[in-house]
């Protein structure tokens, strides 16, 4: 059973870079799956940030594209999110996730989420 | 870009009643790309339905997904107290899209 766990600072200052890591157990980043970041501002809905496949391909939400980078470290079985020039609007619970396990068009595996607050 | 619109925004029902949640897309797409999630407070979303109508493991039979093209529906029959939550539809792809959610409240 794939398990995902987000880690990183819970408080980031405006204009700085938000960096989060997702540690994966029970599965390999080399599998034929997309590894995904999604966020949820307090009291609001879900927003896809982007995803990565085999360290070869990435997709990003166009509304964040100039600020976001998703990368992968297969030796540590971790993937990461970097979001630059953050503002209060980036305050959210950040989830890492993986597609599958049925037809790989759904997201069946989620981390518990980490709340990141942007504030000075 | 496709937009997913869920309705109603809030649905107030009593335990034992049935709920019908709608997800309408601005353009049609393959039903295999449509999923439904339940989210309870303080928890990550939980996959309920994949491929528009497939029930995920351990999801009770009272949850049923249907639809195709631009119109998809999640029906919950005989509501249990634990079903009162927020529900999201999602279209897989790039971009991966979510509806804005339907809140199911206890009446």
């Amino acid at each position: 059973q794939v398990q995902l766990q987000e880690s990183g600072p819970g408080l980031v200052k405006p204009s700085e870079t938000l960096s989060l890591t997702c540690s994966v157990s029970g599965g390999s980043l080399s599998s034929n799956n997309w590894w995904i970041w999604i966020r949820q501002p307090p009291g609001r809905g879900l927003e896809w940030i982007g995803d990565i496949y085999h360290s070869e391909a990435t997709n990003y939400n166009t509304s964040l594209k100039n600020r976001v980078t998703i990368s992968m470290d297969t030796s540590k079985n971790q993937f990461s999110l970097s979001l630059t020039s953050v503002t209060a609007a980036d305050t959210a619970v950040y989830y890492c996730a993986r597609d599958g396990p049925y037809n790989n068009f759904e997201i069946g595996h989620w981390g518990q989420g980490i709340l990141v607050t942007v504030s000075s | 870009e496709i937009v997913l619109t869920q309705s109603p925004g809030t649905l107030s029902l009593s335990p034992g009643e049935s709920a019908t949640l709608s997800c309408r897309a601005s353009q049609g797409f393959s039903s295999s790309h449509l999923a439904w999630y339940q989210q309870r407070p303080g928890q990550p979303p939980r996959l309920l339905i994949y491929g528009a109508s497939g029930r995920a493991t351990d999801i009770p039979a009272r949850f049923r997904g249907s639809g195709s093209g631009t119109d998809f529906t999640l029906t919950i029959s005989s509501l249990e107290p634990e079903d009162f939550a927020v529900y999201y539809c999602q279209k897989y792809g790039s971009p991966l899209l979510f509806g804005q959610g339907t809140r199911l409240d206890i009446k």
Side-chain angles (χ1 to χ4, degrees):
Chain A
Q1 174 74 344
V2 174
Q3 293 188 321
L4 303 99
Q5 179 67 59
E6 306 87 352
S7 60
L11 181 64
V12 180
K13 290 183 168 55
S15 80
E16 296 189 343
T17 297
L18 180 160
S19 296
L20 297 175
T21 297
C22 182
S23 299
V24 179
S25 58
S28 170
L29 292 184
S30 299
S31 63
N32 292 331
N33 295 103
W34 286 86
W35 302 89
I36 305 162
W37 286 99
I38 289 163
R39 70 180 183 178
Q40 185 171 36
R44 299 181 62 184
L46 300 164
E47 179 184 32
W48 171 73
I49 299 170
D51 46 38
I52 187 168
Y53 179 85
H54 277 200
S55 291
E56 299 167 354
T58 53
N59 297 300
Y60 298 125
N61 188 323
T62 54
S63 69
L64 301 170
K65 191 168 186 177
N66 293 335
R67 299 195 292 130
V68 64
T69 303
I70 296 174
S71 59
M72 182 183 280
D73 186 338
T74 54
S75 66
K76 294 181 179 179
N77 225 32
Q78 295 176 335
F79 65 107
S80 298
L81 169 68
S82 175
L83 184 65
T84 62
S85 304
V86 297
T87 70
D90 296 309
T91 294
V93 174
Y94 286 76
Y95 294 103
C96 60
R98 199 206 80 177
D99 67 5
Y102 301 104
N103 59 19
N104 284 11
F105 297 135
E106 69 285 334
I107 306 172
H109 306 282
W110 296 75
Q112 283 300 305
I114 182 169
L115 174 62
V116 179
T117 302
V118 178
S119 175
S120 55
Chain B
E1 181 177 295
I2 293 176
V3 175
L4 299 180
T5 301
Q6 291 187 240
S7 61
T10 302
L11 187 56
S12 297
L13 293 169
S14 300
E17 293 189 299
S18 292
T20 301
L21 286 66
S22 172
C23 176
R24 181 161 291 177
S26 57
Q27 298 173 45
F29 58 90
S30 170
S31 59
S32 65
H33 290 194
L34 192 283
W36 288 94
Y37 301 83
Q38 176 193 69
Q39 189 177 32
R40 296 174 177 143
Q43 295 187 15
R46 173 194 183 197
L47 176 67
L48 299 175
I49 301 291
Y50 65 93
S53 60
R55 211 165 30 247
T57 302
D58 295 333
I59 300 304
R62 64 180 181 274
F63 290 89
R64 186 173 69 89
S66 62
S68 64
T70 60
D71 290 298
F72 300 90
T73 300
L74 175 68
T75 303
I76 314 169
S77 57
S78 191
L79 286 164
E80 297 284 344
E82 62 267 26
D83 298 337
F84 292 91
V86 180
Y87 292 84
Y88 295 95
C89 62
Q90 169 246 306
K91 175 196 173 296
Y92 198 83
S94 184
L96 190 153
L97 300 171
F98 291 96
Q100 82 278 20
T102 290
R103 179 179 302 277
L104 181 54
D105 284 343
I106 297 179
K107 191 172 183 179

